Amino acid sequence: MSSQTEVGSSQETMGRDQVVLVLDFGSQTAQLIARQVREENVFCQLVRHDLSAERIREIAPQGLILSGGPASVYADGAPQPDPAIFDLGIPILGICYGMQLVCRAEGSDVSPGQSREFGHTTCRIVESDPLLDGLPSESTVWMSHGDQVQGLSEHFNTLASTDTCPNTAIRHQTKPIYGLQFHPEVTHTEHGSRLIGNFVRNVCGCAGNWKISSFIEEEVKRVRERVGNSRVICGLSGGVDSSVTAALLYQAIGPQLSCIFVDNGLLRKGERDQVRQEFSDHFQTDLHVVDARQRFLDELAGVSDPQAKRLTIGRLFIEAFRHEAKSIPDAHFLAQGTLYPDVIESGANTDGPAATIKSHHNVGGLPAELGFELIEPLRDLFKDEVRKMGLELGLPEELIWRHPFPGPGLAVRCLGEVTETRLETLREADAVFIDELRKADMYRDVQQAFAVLLPLQTVGVMGDARTYEDVIALRSVDTDNFMTADWSRLPYDLLQRVSTRIINDVRGVNRVVYDVSSKPPATIEWE
């Protein structure tokens, strides 16, 4: 697939009645801005900072939000927007770095502050404005900056200030341009969501009528028009994204959909049967289950390096998928569950829009290898929106709220060599952990939980005999976005029940430990 085709798809989705664009200047919280706008039922796209004014005019957004970023606006090579965007007449909200860009473009001075400001501070409103409608006169906001606007030009009015930042919120006198030195998109800022809501409704005039149900209708129509009478192949993994993709495609094209599920022997307990049952309950279409368990195990024998495992699994998956796909006649399209965080439109090419697509395709290079055209119906959605879509499509809550599972499966939770015996130990221990979380009604309270089999053994005592057996580590995290995560504070009695069951019921395990590290510095998975 060429990037131009992918951009064409994105252009179509951007054609919705009302859209707000977030220009990304490298902020770690840019996606949170987009999510906040969508929570106002307004469609929002995260685009590159250098998207041209001409392209923006074509899209005709209701508003622009300039995100924060790690650079200094006055530094050589600092990312800059197309200066013509400030004369489009479109409402603009600059946040932190974005505010400094706005002010500098209109003649204000930006320079290092007397002190860097990170954390909570009290913000005081000094002038009323539709942007600040409904906010108290004082509230706590979250600062994260070293530079600030020192000399505000005569084009701006100050709306709010703090003790150390006199121009915390500003408004242009004649243009619909605003700036906030703090970050309204983070939970640390009181009334931040109200601020963003005020911008999209009061300033941009958005009606707030974008809903997942209307998105489904649009995508179903678009898929039907594009596919025609051809057949579409969808790779099922048992996860949320691929299942929702399959459900949407089934609603659009029914029996023209074929799904391929590759059993690589690295699945969770009962996963193959669960996928088959869920599929048959909700779809009446062509399902191909590929039993590749032995081949994966044979080639993983003796492999303990994490990267070598991933490369081996990826290669074998592509081979198995490709072999099965060739047996499906009239298949011209391949559907993938790529989500919006993996897709950012680029405006770097002045001759026309380009696309920067992060490498996150479920089936690697298969589209190019097999000559398929790629369909990614979820590419404009965040994870929580995909779950809402799944519920709208009638998928069971148990599937929709299932915890994420890595592409390489249990191989990256089975530290060291991967064997059938070690996988079975891990599979059983993991099933016990999940079962006890469900019994305690805590499965939905945590975002990801699983067991890890360590590549070592420890001494234990069972009955009157000494043992030298495996160690299971339990991992459970709380997170909003999986970019950062904190370890779950599970009750001690729950952990005790899990440990007791694993040691008693899972043969070959005599010790259970609990992972209390956060991301960063650790990752969620162990390999």
Side-chain angles (χ1 to χ4, degrees):
M1 285 293 293
S2 68
S3 60
Q4 185 61 46
T5 303
E6 288 165 339
V7 169
S9 172
S10 184
Q11 284 174 306
E12 291 177 20
T13 60
M14 279 187 172
R16 297 184 172 93
D17 290 341
Q18 294 185 326
V19 60
V20 170
L21 300 182
V22 177
L23 276 62
D24 182 10
F25 291 89
S27 172
Q28 294 183 357
T29 58
Q31 290 185 15
L32 299 182
I33 302 172
R35 289 172 65 99
Q36 289 273 17
V37 173
R38 291 191 183 188
E39 287 177 6
E40 298 296 324
N41 293 323
V42 175
F43 188 67
C44 185
Q45 289 278 90
L46 182 66
V47 300
R48 280 184 51 127
H49 67 277
D50 49 7
L51 195 67
S52 69
E54 180 182 357
R55 175 71 175 107
I56 291 173
R57 191 181 292 109
E58 292 174 359
I59 298 169
Q62 299 295 112
L64 302 176
I65 299 178
L66 279 55
S67 82
S72 293
V73 296
Y74 49 79
D76 292 339
Q80 302 289 331
D82 183 340
I85 68 172
F86 299 112
D87 295 318
L88 290 175
I90 299 173
I92 294 176
L93 174 64
I95 295 176
C96 196
Y97 182 90
M99 170 184 164
Q100 294 164 16
L101 287 171
V102 164
C103 291
R104 196 162 186 258
E106 295 289 329
S108 301
D109 176 56
V110 179
S111 57
Q114 293 183 350
S115 61
R116 295 163 63 87
E117 202 169 19
F118 297 96
H120 297 93
T121 190
T122 300
C123 178
R124 302 174 183 86
I125 294 176
V126 298
E127 182 178 325
S128 61
D129 188 89
L131 181 69
L132 307 177
D133 183 49
L135 271 66
S137 58
E138 289 190 4
S139 62
T140 299
V141 299
W142 181 263
M143 293 284 200
S144 180
H145 66 99
D147 300 329
Q148 66 183 41
V149 178
Q150 303 284 7
L152 192 65
S153 77
E154 69 277 9
H155 300 298
F156 291 99
N157 290 340
T158 298
L159 301 179
S161 63
T162 69
D163 291 340
T164 57
C165 184
N167 302 305
T168 302
I170 54 94
R171 180 196 66 213
H172 198 281
Q173 293 178 358
T174 60
K175 300 178 182 179
I177 297 178
Y178 290 81
L180 300 173
Q181 185 57 69
F182 58 90
H183 289 269
E185 70 273 21
V186 301
T187 57
H188 308 300
T189 294
E190 291 181 327
H191 315 293
S193 58
R194 178 65 181 262
L195 256 174
I196 292 178
N198 285 344
F199 176 70
V200 299
R201 294 177 184 273
N202 298 347
V203 179
C204 299
C206 294
N209 55 12
W210 181 75
K211 296 180 175 63
I212 288 294
S213 57
S214 60
F215 182 92
I216 292 174
E217 293 174 5
E218 293 172 8
E219 285 299 312
V220 165
K221 179 181 177 182
R222 194 163 69 89
V223 168
R224 284 174 180 165
E225 292 175 349
R226 185 179 176 197
V227 169
N229 295 322
S230 299
R231 182 166 289 277
V232 179
I233 294 176
C234 178
L236 278 180
S237 68
V240 176
D241 303 338
S242 67
S243 298
V244 173
T245 299
L248 180 67
L249 289 170
Y250 183 71
Q251 182 163 320
I253 59 174
Q256 293 169 239
L257 173 66
S258 291
C259 292
I260 297 177
F261 177 76
V262 177
D263 184 351
N264 56 13
L266 306 172
L267 306 175
R268 290 167 286 195
K269 184 176 181 180
E271 191 153 23
R272 176 173 171 170
D273 293 337
Q274 183 178 7
V275 169
R276 191 190 295 273
Q277 179 181 348
E278 288 170 347
F279 189 91
S280 60
D281 286 347
H282 296 280
F283 316 108
Q284 298 297 320
T285 189
D286 188 33
L287 173 63
H288 297 244
V289 178
V290 180
D291 189 346
R293 290 175 293 182
Q294 195 57 52
R295 184 175 181 189
F296 275 78
L297 286 173
D298 289 345
E299 295 223 19
L300 286 171
V303 179
S304 59
D305 177 74
Q307 185 64 8
K309 287 182 188 178
R310 290 179 179 273
L311 292 175
T312 300
I313 293 166
R315 173 178 56 81
L316 293 175
F317 177 83
I318 288 177
E319 291 175 359
F321 194 98
R322 178 172 52 208
H323 181 269
E324 190 64 28
K326 287 181 177 179
S327 71
I328 301 174
D330 300 322
H332 296 294
F333 296 90
L334 177 67
Q336 295 184 164
T338 306
L339 303 191
Y340 188 60
D342 307 305
V343 182
I344 298 178
E345 182 178 359
S346 167
N349 183 351
T350 56
D351 296 327
T356 300
I357 308 299
K358 297 178 183 177
S359 178
H360 190 69
H361 295 314
N362 298 333
V363 287
L366 279 175
E369 290 185 24
L370 297 181
F372 287 140
E373 290 187 51
L374 188 62
I375 293 179
E376 296 175 309
L378 309 184
R379 62 184 282 124
D380 286 326
L381 300 181
F382 289 102
K383 190 76 172 187
D384 57 332
E385 294 168 332
V386 171
R387 288 194 167 109
K388 290 178 183 177
M389 175 183 278
L391 293 173
E392 288 269 354
L393 290 167
L395 293 175
E397 288 201 8
E398 183 178 356
L399 171 61
I400 293 304
W401 292 103
R402 199 171 192 197
H403 291 177
F405 191 56
L410 294 180
V412 293
R413 295 176 180 175
C414 183
L415 309 192
E417 185 178 5
V418 178
T419 67
E420 179 56 40
T421 300
R422 300 192 76 227
L423 285 171
E424 190 59 27
T425 298
L426 175 56
R427 199 174 281 121
E428 292 296 327
D430 185 77
V432 168
F433 189 21
I434 299 303
D435 182 56
E436 288 295 337
L437 280 172
R438 292 188 186 280
K439 287 180 177 178
D441 199 25
M442 294 193 67
Y443 183 78
R444 288 272 297 273
D445 294 338
V446 302
Q447 283 63 62
Q448 191 168 357
F450 55 90
V452 179
L453 179 61
L454 303 189
L456 55 88
Q457 294 184 316
T458 63
V459 174
V461 177
M462 290 186 176
D464 295 324
R466 290 169 62 86
T467 61
Y468 194 64
E469 295 181 327
D470 291 326
V471 180
I472 288 289
L474 303 178
R475 177 73 157 147
S476 179
V477 297
D478 301 329
T479 178
D480 291 327
N481 50 33
F482 290 92
M483 296 173 64
T484 63
D486 196 12
W487 58 278
S488 305
R489 272 62 172 177
L490 297 180
Y492 290 158
D493 58 346
L494 170 60
L495 291 173
Q496 182 181 23
R497 289 196 301 272
V498 175
S499 175
T500 300
R501 276 192 60 187
I502 289 176
I503 292 174
N504 287 343
D505 299 345
V506 181
R507 183 176 297 277
V509 177
N510 68 0
R511 191 178 301 271
V512 175
V513 298
Y514 188 55
D515 184 347
V516 294
S517 51
S518 297
K519 175 188 179 181
T523 55
I524 295 177
E525 297 288 345
W526 277 46
E527 282 191 345

